[in-house]
Amino acid sequence: MVTNQPWPGRPADSDLAEPVPAIELRHATKRYGEAVALDDVSMVIQPGEFFCLLGPSGCGKTTTLNLIGGFIPLTSGDLLIEGHTVNDLPPHKRNVNTVFQSYALFPHMTVAENVAFGLRMEKLSKADIAQRTREYLELVGLSGLAGRLPAQMSGGQQQRVALARALAKRPAVLLLDEPLGALDLKLRKQMQTELARIHRQVGTTFVFVTHDQEEALSMATQIAIMSNGTVLQQGSPREVYDRPANRFVADFVGDTNFLAGTVRRDGGQAVFDVGSAVVDVQGDAEAGPATLMIRPEFLALRQGDATDGPRGLTARVVNVAFLGNHTRITVSTAAGEMVVVRPHGTRDSTADTQRELGEEVCVWWRTENAALIRE
Amino acid sequence: MTVASDGGVPSGPAAGSSSGLVKRFGRALPALPGLAVLLFLFLVPMAIMFVFSFWRTNNDFVVVPEWNLGNYARFFVEGTYLRTFIKTLIMAGLVTVAALAIGLPFAYFLVRYTGKLTQRVILLAVIVPFWTSYLVRVYAWQAILGEHGALNQILQAIGVIKVPLDIFNYDDPGVFVVLTYIYFPFALLALYASLEKFDFTQLNAAQDLGARPDQAFRHILLPQIRAGIITACIFVFIPILGEFLTPTLVGGAQSSLIANLVLNFLRNDQFAEGAALAIIIAAFVTAIMIVFRKSFRVEDVVTSG
């Protein structure tokens, strides 16, 4: 059984009201000449998290990872690992380890030698090295392949070697730089489950960089969505999905329908003018221009002349795509096209999924499932 | 990985029959011109030289078939030969070390920190001197290192020295400088070729795992470019064992290397003695190659794939 070693000098949790963050960035900035890769980012990563840095390429997520790993220096600001400022500490003295995107396995060493390398550098005894190498190869399920060379292994197996090699150092934080990017879809899904299991088993803080929102949602306990060198929102997967801070987050994480319009107070009730139609929004909304965001799975369809339930928008069905476990229906409204996703196999959705092309319908949603975004 | 494959040609029972022989001959046909060159321009002269080395040059400077070992004995008995040979080994060794010491950091810098275009331009610049004749390049060095050469004139002009220096002129240091200049490109190209295949993320990974930069270099980079380093050594060390032009033009009477002694024999029509000395050098080179070949094989297994 693998256990997480306490990091020397780490204050016992009971001494403090709050645990010491595994990683803390304070006004971290990284410039390359004129270009700003990371712009005054402050971020706290709690110990034991599976923390995902999510964003499109060039958003600063890999820069953040390289800063924590010590491969590039900060331009300004501070970086703390377990409460210690490590701004100028070289990589080999930091208690963090990295799983590189290309794995960066040593091709002239066997799998066991790769895993043992970091332990050799620590000058552990031969017996300890052998024991720990075995332990971590077992953790990633490669016990039988210790004598292989990396070139004799599949991409997925190489990935596991890289994982074992980094974890064997028992770091405070494990950094993973898009480690699943090179794997095919099926293997990637399998490794996602595998990574989540390993994370639970070792209890180490994982910081994971990806541009794949599905990967982030499925594995992370915390997600930070980045764009243009800043963090737009940080929260649990459900928080960033259900209550995105802005249009970029809503658009990047999951599929979303946006309706541009104006919030108006109508008596005690807030309503939303979208084109010529009016829909209800949650009561405390302030008046002014805004964007209403509704996830496709929260949209439902009913007969165009039906009047039960909340107000909706008149729409025409323009496409129906049956995708097995769900159906994607595209409808055209006065406010633009909207995508409706209905799950397969429940009785009340059957009517929804069997819409005719060109059919006149009403697309509606519950007010609590729509979020208002101010630009 | 050495995967033996027959190129998809079925090797059935027909292989021994006459049609199989025709097929085999057909396959070997493209190799025949090469084999002919090897046979008539290398193996046959080598054999003649080998036989000559056991014959004797008579007083009329004619090689006569009188079998003896005197030509070889002379190498070990007369001190000049052994001394010159050892000096040649030292010179070749020093030049090899210098070429590696200059070439390795240079190749590392090129591969790691410059773009593909810059690399190509610089490598071209390294190769361009080969477009000029060897002789011209060595003469050019005479104009730089000579008594009234550019180096002395500059040093005198800026007042560093009063009398022209002669250490680079008609002496071993001059030979060393010129040989380093001539053979450095070979070392650089060999090192470049092996470094270019190296994934430098591995050095980050090594440091990430707790290795100091020097440990990362020693444990990760060095083993993976060992084949390139050995190739560089062979490209530099072995040709210098046959160098006679640079010592003749840049060095003085004392700067002779072993190949100069071979040349002296040939100029004096002492073909048997010259042949024996040449065979000794060739045997020595072969021995070195056999030693290095072993380390080559180990690396081939490790670095492939």
Side-chain angles (χ1 to χ4, degrees):
Chain A
M1 183 66 204
V2 177
T3 50
N4 196 20
Q5 289 289 95
W7 171 229
R10 173 181 180 171
D13 287 355
S14 58
D15 294 351
L16 297 159
E18 274 181 45
V20 177
I23 300 281
E24 191 175 354
L25 292 172
R26 290 182 186 158
H27 305 291
T29 299
K30 178 64 194 177
R31 274 191 213 94
Y32 293 103
E34 285 296 293
V36 182
L38 205 63
D39 190 5
D40 192 30
V41 165
S42 294
M43 188 193 291
V44 171
I45 301 175
Q46 297 298 346
E49 296 275 17
F50 196 130
F51 195 96
C52 225
L53 293 166
L54 175 66
S57 61
C59 71
K61 57 190 195 298
T62 301
T63 303
T64 308
L65 206 71
N66 284 334
L67 283 169
I68 300 172
F71 300 116
I72 52 175
L74 274 170
T75 308
S76 64
D78 283 312
L79 165 67
L80 288 83
I81 297 175
E82 300 205 306
H84 302 278
T85 308
V86 295
N87 290 11
D88 301 315
L89 210 61
H92 65 275
K93 291 185 179 159
R94 295 190 184 197
N95 192 21
V96 297
N97 287 107
T98 310
V99 175
F100 292 85
Q101 191 169 6
S102 60
Y103 316 140
L105 297 179
F106 307 133
H108 60 302
M109 295 183 185
T110 63
V111 167
E113 284 166 350
N114 264 280
V115 177
F117 181 79
L119 309 174
R120 260 170 65 206
M121 294 298 110
E122 259 182 71
K123 298 219 160 40
L124 295 185
S125 75
K126 276 219 165 80
D128 284 350
I129 293 176
Q131 202 271 330
R132 246 208 249 179
T133 303
R134 258 200 314 279
E135 189 179 320
Y136 282 89
L137 282 177
E138 194 179 322
L139 175 77
V140 300
L142 287 180
S143 297
L145 303 178
R148 292 261 185 105
L149 288 172
Q152 301 166 323
M153 308 186 91
S154 71
Q157 289 170 328
Q158 293 186 15
Q159 156 87 77
R160 285 160 192 267
V161 178
L163 202 57
R165 184 176 72 174
L167 281 172
K169 294 280 287 179
R170 295 183 177 156
V173 178
L174 182 76
L175 307 174
L176 301 109
D177 184 8
E178 304 222 14
L180 308 182
L183 305 178
D184 62 52
L185 188 66
K186 199 171 174 192
L187 204 53
R188 206 183 310 161
K189 300 263 181 211
Q190 200 181 322
M191 275 313 286
Q192 285 175 13
T193 318
E194 190 72 357
L195 272 177
R197 170 187 68 83
I198 290 169
H199 174 251
R200 280 193 300 274
Q201 201 166 333
V202 297
T204 306
T205 313
F206 279 27
V207 180
F208 190 102
V209 158
T210 183
H211 63 265
D212 182 338
Q213 48 101 9
E214 197 188 314
E215 208 165 276
L217 291 174
S218 70
M219 292 190 292
T221 57
Q222 279 278 303
I223 297 178
I225 289 124
M226 299 186 70
S227 173
N228 291 325
T230 58
V231 174
L232 298 177
Q233 188 176 5
Q234 182 181 330
S236 73
R238 277 174 207 281
E239 277 164 11
V240 297
Y241 187 83
D242 288 342
R243 289 190 295 281
N246 57 38
R247 194 186 173 113
F248 181 89
V249 175
D251 205 20
F252 197 77
V253 182
D255 295 324
T256 308
N257 293 296
F258 293 108
L259 294 174
T262 318
V263 178
R264 175 166 57 84
R265 306 296 300 192
D266 183 13
Q269 191 65 33
V271 292
F272 190 69
D273 288 322
V274 45
S276 57
V278 180
V279 292
D280 295 306
V281 287
Q282 285 192 302
D284 53 351
E286 279 176 42
T291 300
L292 198 62
M293 178 218 112
I294 320 117
R295 298 287 181 190
E297 64 273 23
F298 290 132
L299 291 178
L301 301 176
R302 65 180 180 229
Q303 291 311 111
D305 50 5
T307 52
D308 56 316
R311 282 188 274 191
L313 299 175
T314 309
R316 186 177 295 280
V317 176
V318 295
N319 191 38
V320 178
F322 175 62
L323 295 164
N325 59 357
H326 68 273
T327 303
R328 269 178 88 88
I329 304 153
T330 311
V331 297
S332 171
T333 72
E337 290 204 340
M338 296 179 86
V339 175
V340 181
V341 164
R342 300 309 303 167
H344 191 56
T346 59
R347 186 191 283 177
D348 69 42
S349 67
T350 310
D352 273 356
T353 57
Q354 291 176 349
R355 294 288 170 184
E356 301 277 322
L357 276 188
E359 193 181 344
E360 188 101 352
V361 291
C362 173
V363 56
W364 66 280
W365 58 91
R366 295 185 193 287
T367 29
E368 67 266 28
N369 288 334
L372 270 175
I373 295 168
R374 309 275 171 177
E375 299 302 321
Chain B
M1 230 77 7
T2 49
V3 179
S5 108
D6 208 14
V9 179
S11 53
S17 71
S18 62
S19 76
L21 275 177
V22 170
K23 243 184 213 164
R24 276 194 197 177
F25 181 76
R27 255 186 277 165
L29 202 59
L32 285 183
L35 284 174
V37 167
L38 206 60
L39 183 67
F40 293 110
L41 300 182
F42 178 69
L43 287 177
V44 169
M46 222 30 204
I48 294 173
M49 214 169 80
F50 188 71
V51 170
F52 269 28
S53 74
F54 292 101
W55 287 1
R56 200 173 65 79
T57 312
N58 68 11
N59 290 340
D60 300 326
F61 297 107
V62 175
V63 179
V64 289
E66 289 173 19
W67 298 89
N68 69 95
L69 288 170
N71 301 325
Y72 286 98
R74 182 199 295 258
F75 178 81
F76 297 99
V77 174
E78 287 179 30
T80 336
Y81 298 104
L82 214 49
R83 263 201 309 277
T84 310
F85 189 63
I86 288 165
K87 184 188 159 182
T88 307
L89 293 185
I90 292 170
M91 178 64 81
L94 288 177
V95 173
T96 306
V97 168
L100 283 180
I102 303 168
L104 190 54
F106 190 51
Y108 184 93
F109 171 81
L110 268 190
V111 173
R112 187 148 198 202
Y113 300 112
T114 65
K116 272 271 170 273
L117 185 68
T118 320
Q119 289 178 20
R120 268 185 212 153
V121 170
I122 289 181
L123 287 179
L124 186 69
V126 167
I127 296 167
V128 160
F130 291 105
W131 296 354
T132 342
S133 126
Y134 178 104
L135 204 60
V136 171
R137 282 183 288 147
V138 178
Y139 267 122
W141 275 98
Q142 250 188 357
I144 297 170
L145 299 177
E147 193 181 352
H148 303 291
L151 182 70
N152 274 325
Q153 287 190 16
I154 290 170
L155 289 178
Q156 278 175 301
I158 60 172
V160 177
I161 51 166
K162 294 234 165 7
V163 204
L165 283 177
D166 57 359
I167 55 154
F168 286 122
N169 188 22
Y170 301 119
D171 207 350
D172 294 334
V175 176
F176 170 78
V177 168
V178 175
L179 287 180
T180 305
Y181 158 78
I182 287 172
Y183 287 100
F184 158 74
F186 295 101
L188 181 71
L189 292 178
L191 293 170
Y192 175 83
S194 72
L195 271 168
E196 209 204 1
K197 285 178 277 178
F198 183 75
D199 167 20
F200 284 93
T201 325
Q202 287 180 43
L203 293 185
N204 278 348
Q207 290 188 58
D208 185 77
L209 293 164
R212 291 189 312 268
D214 64 293
Q215 289 173 317
F217 178 80
R218 203 167 68 239
H219 295 299
I220 305 303
L221 180 67
L222 215 49
Q224 293 184 58
I225 61 163
R226 190 171 286 151
I229 292 175
I230 290 173
T231 309
C233 288
I234 290 174
F235 278 2
V236 178
F237 190 87
I238 290 179
I240 292 178
L241 299 185
E243 264 289 341
F244 62 91
L245 212 51
T246 298
T248 309
L249 296 178
V250 184
Q254 291 82 38
S255 302
S256 288
L257 297 181
I258 194 72
N260 292 87
L261 301 189
V262 178
L263 197 67
N264 286 348
F265 280 131
L266 301 186
R267 282 196 179 132
N268 296 337
D269 285 342
Q270 293 172 289
F271 287 107
E273 288 84 345
L277 194 50
I279 292 286
I280 288 172
I281 299 171
F284 184 80
V285 169
T286 310
I288 292 180
M289 292 299 281
I290 288 168
V291 170
F292 277 134
R293 231 184 104 84
K294 274 190 182 151
S295 18
F296 252 143
R297 277 210 192 119
V298 175
E299 291 306 317
D300 285 347
V301 172
V302 168
T303 54
S304 63

